[in-house]
Amino acid sequence: MPKHSSISLVMATKLEALPLLELLGLQHTATRPFPLYCQEDLILIISGIGKTNAAVAVTYSILSHQPGLVVNLGAAGATHPGCTLGDVYHGCQVIEYDRPHLRTEALREMVPLVLPGFPGAVIATQDKPVLNHVDRNTLGQCADLVDMEAAGVVQACERFSVPCSIFKFVSDTPDHTGHDEVVEHIKCHRNSFCEFFVHAVLPALRKYVLAEK
Protein backbone atom coordinates (compact mmCIF):
# COMPACT_ATOMS: atom_id res chain seq x y z
CA MET A 1 0.00 0.00 0.00
CA PRO A 2 1.50 3.38 -0.96
CA LYS A 3 2.51 5.79 1.76
CA HIS A 4 0.71 9.10 2.00
CA SER A 5 1.36 12.18 4.10
CA SER A 6 -2.08 12.36 5.70
CA ILE A 7 -2.78 11.45 9.32
CA SER A 8 -5.92 9.61 10.37
CA LEU A 9 -7.19 10.45 13.86
CA VAL A 10 -9.48 7.87 15.44
CA MET A 11 -11.67 8.78 18.42
CA ALA A 12 -14.48 6.75 19.96
CA THR A 13 -17.02 9.52 20.54
CA LYS A 14 -17.82 13.03 19.40
CA LEU A 15 -17.97 13.92 23.10
CA GLU A 16 -14.19 13.49 23.22
CA ALA A 17 -13.52 14.88 19.74
CA LEU A 18 -15.55 18.10 19.77
CA PRO A 19 -12.75 20.48 20.89
CA LEU A 20 -10.39 18.96 18.33
CA LEU A 21 -12.88 19.50 15.52
CA GLU A 22 -13.08 23.17 16.47
CA LEU A 23 -9.35 23.72 17.03
CA LEU A 24 -8.37 22.16 13.71
CA GLY A 25 -11.29 23.52 11.71
CA LEU A 26 -12.20 20.05 10.49
CA GLN A 27 -15.14 19.86 8.11
CA HIS A 28 -17.84 17.20 8.29
CA THR A 29 -17.57 15.24 5.03
CA ALA A 30 -19.45 11.99 5.70
CA THR A 31 -21.89 10.40 8.11
CA ARG A 32 -21.80 6.77 7.04
CA PRO A 33 -20.30 4.30 7.51
CA PHE A 34 -18.67 6.51 10.14
CA PRO A 35 -18.78 10.24 10.91
CA LEU A 36 -15.79 11.68 9.07
CA TYR A 37 -14.14 15.10 9.33
CA CYS A 38 -11.32 16.33 7.09
CA GLN A 39 -8.96 19.26 6.59
CA GLU A 40 -5.79 19.27 4.46
CA ASP A 41 -3.60 16.44 5.79
CA LEU A 42 -5.94 15.33 8.60
CA ILE A 43 -8.84 12.86 8.69
CA LEU A 44 -10.77 12.39 11.92
CA ILE A 45 -13.11 9.42 12.18
CA ILE A 46 -15.56 8.76 15.03
CA SER A 47 -15.40 5.00 15.47
CA GLY A 48 -17.89 4.32 18.23
CA ILE A 49 -16.97 2.57 21.47
CA GLY A 50 -15.24 -0.82 21.59
CA LYS A 51 -12.51 -2.82 19.88
CA THR A 52 -14.62 -4.00 16.94
CA ASN A 53 -15.85 -0.51 16.10
CA ALA A 54 -12.30 0.81 16.36
CA ALA A 55 -10.84 -1.89 14.13
CA VAL A 56 -13.54 -1.47 11.46
CA ALA A 57 -13.16 2.33 11.50
CA VAL A 58 -9.39 2.08 11.12
CA THR A 59 -9.77 -0.40 8.27
CA TYR A 60 -12.21 1.93 6.50
CA SER A 61 -9.93 4.92 7.05
CA ILE A 62 -6.87 3.11 5.70
CA LEU A 63 -8.62 1.73 2.63
CA SER A 64 -10.37 4.99 1.75
CA HIS A 65 -7.62 7.53 2.56
CA GLN A 66 -4.30 5.60 2.70
CA PRO A 67 -2.89 7.63 5.62
CA GLY A 68 0.78 7.53 6.50
CA LEU A 69 -0.10 7.27 10.19
CA VAL A 70 -3.10 6.42 12.36
CA VAL A 71 -3.47 8.02 15.79
CA ASN A 72 -5.89 6.84 18.47
CA LEU A 73 -6.94 9.62 20.84
CA GLY A 74 -9.35 9.78 23.76
CA ALA A 75 -10.14 9.06 27.37
CA ALA A 76 -8.88 6.18 29.49
CA GLY A 77 -9.25 5.05 33.07
CA ALA A 78 -6.27 4.86 35.42
CA THR A 79 -5.63 1.60 37.25
CA HIS A 80 -3.50 3.22 39.97
CA PRO A 81 -4.51 5.91 42.47
CA GLY A 82 -1.39 7.99 41.70
CA CYS A 83 -2.75 9.27 38.38
CA THR A 84 -4.43 12.66 38.20
CA LEU A 85 -7.53 13.47 36.19
CA GLY A 86 -6.56 15.09 32.90
CA ASP A 87 -3.02 13.67 32.81
CA VAL A 88 -1.95 12.80 29.26
CA TYR A 89 -0.06 9.61 28.44
CA HIS A 90 1.52 8.17 25.31
CA GLY A 91 0.72 4.48 24.82
CA CYS A 92 4.03 2.60 24.76
CA GLN A 93 2.47 -0.88 24.93
CA VAL A 94 -1.07 -2.21 24.45
CA ILE A 95 -2.45 -5.36 26.03
CA GLU A 96 -5.67 -6.96 24.82
CA TYR A 97 -6.59 -8.14 28.27
CA ASP A 98 -9.86 -9.99 27.60
CA ARG A 99 -8.58 -12.05 24.63
CA PRO A 100 -5.50 -14.01 25.73
CA HIS A 101 -3.76 -16.52 23.47
CA LEU A 102 -5.88 -19.67 23.34
CA ARG A 103 -3.17 -22.25 23.97
CA THR A 104 -0.86 -20.44 26.38
CA GLU A 105 -3.39 -18.02 27.95
CA ALA A 106 -0.65 -15.39 27.74
CA LEU A 107 -1.78 -11.82 27.26
CA ARG A 108 -1.70 -10.41 23.74
CA GLU A 109 0.86 -7.60 23.74
CA MET A 110 1.36 -5.00 21.00
CA VAL A 111 3.80 -2.13 20.62
CA PRO A 112 2.60 0.98 18.74
CA LEU A 113 4.80 3.77 17.42
CA VAL A 114 6.36 5.60 20.37
CA LEU A 115 7.64 9.17 20.02
CA PRO A 116 10.28 10.51 22.42
CA GLY A 117 9.52 13.16 25.00
CA PHE A 118 6.07 12.10 26.22
CA PRO A 119 5.21 10.22 29.43
CA GLY A 120 4.45 6.62 28.52
CA ALA A 121 1.87 4.17 29.79
CA VAL A 122 0.88 0.55 29.25
CA ILE A 123 -2.76 0.39 28.13
CA ALA A 124 -5.04 -2.59 28.69
CA THR A 125 -7.96 -2.78 26.27
CA GLN A 126 -11.18 -4.69 26.87
CA ASP A 127 -14.77 -4.36 25.75
CA LYS A 128 -16.25 -4.20 29.25
CA PRO A 129 -15.97 -0.87 31.10
CA VAL A 130 -13.80 -1.07 34.21
CA LEU A 131 -15.23 0.99 37.04
CA ASN A 132 -14.97 -1.16 40.18
CA HIS A 133 -11.96 -1.49 42.48
CA VAL A 134 -11.53 -5.24 42.01
CA ASP A 135 -11.24 -5.08 38.23
CA ARG A 136 -8.94 -2.04 38.38
CA ASN A 137 -6.64 -3.78 40.85
CA THR A 138 -6.48 -6.82 38.59
CA LEU A 139 -5.64 -4.76 35.52
CA GLY A 140 -3.20 -2.69 37.54
CA GLN A 141 -0.91 -5.70 37.74
CA CYS A 142 -0.10 -5.37 34.04
CA ALA A 143 -1.22 -1.91 32.89
CA ASP A 144 -1.37 1.76 33.88
CA LEU A 145 -4.49 2.67 31.91
CA VAL A 146 -7.54 0.85 30.61
CA ASP A 147 -9.54 1.73 27.50
CA MET A 148 -11.90 0.06 25.01
CA GLU A 149 -10.33 0.81 21.60
CA ALA A 150 -6.52 0.85 21.48
CA ALA A 151 -5.97 -2.87 20.84
CA GLY A 152 -8.43 -2.83 17.94
CA VAL A 153 -6.64 0.16 16.43
CA VAL A 154 -3.18 -1.37 16.73
CA GLN A 155 -4.20 -4.73 15.30
CA ALA A 156 -5.97 -3.20 12.31
CA CYS A 157 -2.93 -1.03 11.58
CA GLU A 158 -0.63 -4.03 11.84
CA ARG A 159 -2.72 -5.87 9.23
CA PHE A 160 -2.14 -3.07 6.73
CA SER A 161 1.44 -2.24 7.78
CA VAL A 162 0.45 1.31 8.74
CA PRO A 163 2.13 2.75 11.84
CA CYS A 164 -0.10 3.91 14.66
CA SER A 165 0.38 5.98 17.77
CA ILE A 166 -1.77 6.39 20.88
CA PHE A 167 -2.43 9.31 23.23
CA LYS A 168 -4.93 9.15 26.10
CA PHE A 169 -6.03 11.41 28.92
CA VAL A 170 -7.17 10.19 32.33
CA SER A 171 -10.94 10.47 32.72
CA ASP A 172 -11.29 8.36 35.86
CA THR A 173 -9.21 6.79 38.62
CA PRO A 174 -9.90 4.12 41.27
CA ASP A 175 -11.74 6.84 43.20
CA HIS A 176 -14.35 7.21 40.45
CA THR A 177 -16.86 4.44 39.81
CA GLY A 178 -19.88 6.11 38.19
CA HIS A 179 -20.57 6.45 34.45
CA ASP A 180 -22.03 9.95 34.81
CA GLU A 181 -18.96 10.99 36.77
CA VAL A 182 -16.69 9.80 33.98
CA VAL A 183 -18.69 11.75 31.37
CA GLU A 184 -18.37 14.94 33.41
CA HIS A 185 -14.61 14.41 33.72
CA ILE A 186 -14.32 13.98 29.95
CA LYS A 187 -16.15 17.27 29.43
CA CYS A 188 -13.90 18.95 31.98
CA HIS A 189 -10.55 17.76 30.56
CA ARG A 190 -11.14 17.25 26.83
CA ASN A 191 -10.27 20.86 25.95
CA SER A 192 -6.83 20.79 27.55
CA PHE A 193 -6.13 17.36 26.06
CA CYS A 194 -7.01 18.49 22.55
CA GLU A 195 -4.99 21.68 22.92
CA PHE A 196 -2.00 19.64 24.10
CA PHE A 197 -2.37 17.33 21.13
CA VAL A 198 -2.57 20.16 18.60
CA HIS A 199 0.35 22.17 19.97
CA ALA A 200 2.70 19.52 21.42
CA VAL A 201 1.96 16.25 19.63
CA LEU A 202 0.70 17.00 16.12
CA PRO A 203 3.88 18.79 14.98
CA ALA A 204 5.93 15.73 15.97
CA LEU A 205 3.53 13.40 14.16
CA ARG A 206 3.65 15.48 10.99
CA LYS A 207 7.43 15.48 11.11
CA TYR A 208 7.46 11.70 11.44
CA VAL A 209 5.07 11.18 8.51
CA LEU A 210 7.05 13.46 6.21
CA ALA A 211 10.28 11.70 7.13
CA GLU A 212 8.77 8.29 6.36
CA LYS A 213 7.09 9.29 3.10
Side-chain angles (χ1 to χ4, degrees):
M1 182 170 292
K3 290 186 177 180
H4 289 247
S5 58
S6 62
I7 298 173
S8 179
L9 310 176
V10 181
M11 302 185 76
T13 66
K14 192 173 180 180
L15 175 71
E16 298 161 284
L18 188 58
L20 200 56
L21 299 177
E22 296 173 352
L23 282 168
L24 295 172
L26 299 174
Q27 300 298 311
H28 186 207
T29 58
T31 301
R32 294 185 62 83
F34 297 94
L36 198 68
Y37 301 82
C38 300
Q39 189 266 335
E40 295 182 352
D41 64 335
L42 298 175
I43 307 106
L44 190 150
I45 188 166
I46 305 295
S47 67
I49 296 171
K51 291 183 290 184
T52 299
N53 281 332
V56 175
V58 168
T59 299
Y60 170 72
S61 181
I62 290 173
L63 292 178
S64 60
H65 291 85
Q66 294 84 47
L69 176 67
V70 171
V71 187
N72 180 216
L73 304 170
T79 61
H80 305 295
C83 291
T84 302
L85 291 173
D87 281 354
V88 179
Y89 291 97
H90 187 16
C92 58
Q93 183 181 26
V94 176
I95 298 170
E96 190 175 10
Y97 189 82
D98 57 357
R99 194 173 70 94
H101 290 279
L102 293 178
R103 293 186 178 181
T104 66
E105 296 189 354
L107 295 175
R108 295 178 187 270
E109 300 178 352
M110 294 151 272
V111 179
L113 170 69
V114 178
L115 302 176
F118 301 101
V122 178
I123 301 172
T125 300
Q126 63 175 44
D127 279 319
K128 180 182 177 182
V130 179
L131 292 175
N132 66 67
H133 291 289
V134 175
D135 289 342
R136 283 192 200 256
N137 288 338
T138 300
L139 288 170
Q141 297 175 26
C142 61
D144 309 298
L145 302 177
V146 57
D147 85 330
M148 300 174 69
E149 291 82 34
V153 172
V154 177
Q155 289 178 74
C157 287
E158 288 180 347
R159 289 282 184 177
F160 292 96
S161 300
V162 176
C164 74
S165 194
I166 301 169
F167 286 86
K168 301 283 181 174
F169 71 96
V170 176
S171 59
D172 52 287
T173 75
D175 294 326
H176 310 107
T177 58
H179 173 75
D180 291 343
E181 195 175 18
V182 174
V183 170
E184 288 305 312
H185 293 162
I186 291 174
K187 291 179 180 178
C188 181
H189 297 285
R190 62 186 178 178
N191 284 2
S192 58
F193 170 71
C194 291
E195 289 173 359
F196 175 82
F197 174 76
V198 169
H199 298 299
V201 179
L202 189 55
L205 296 176
R206 281 174 164 152
K207 183 177 180 180
Y208 168 83
V209 169
L210 290 175
E212 292 296 309
K213 187 177 179 183

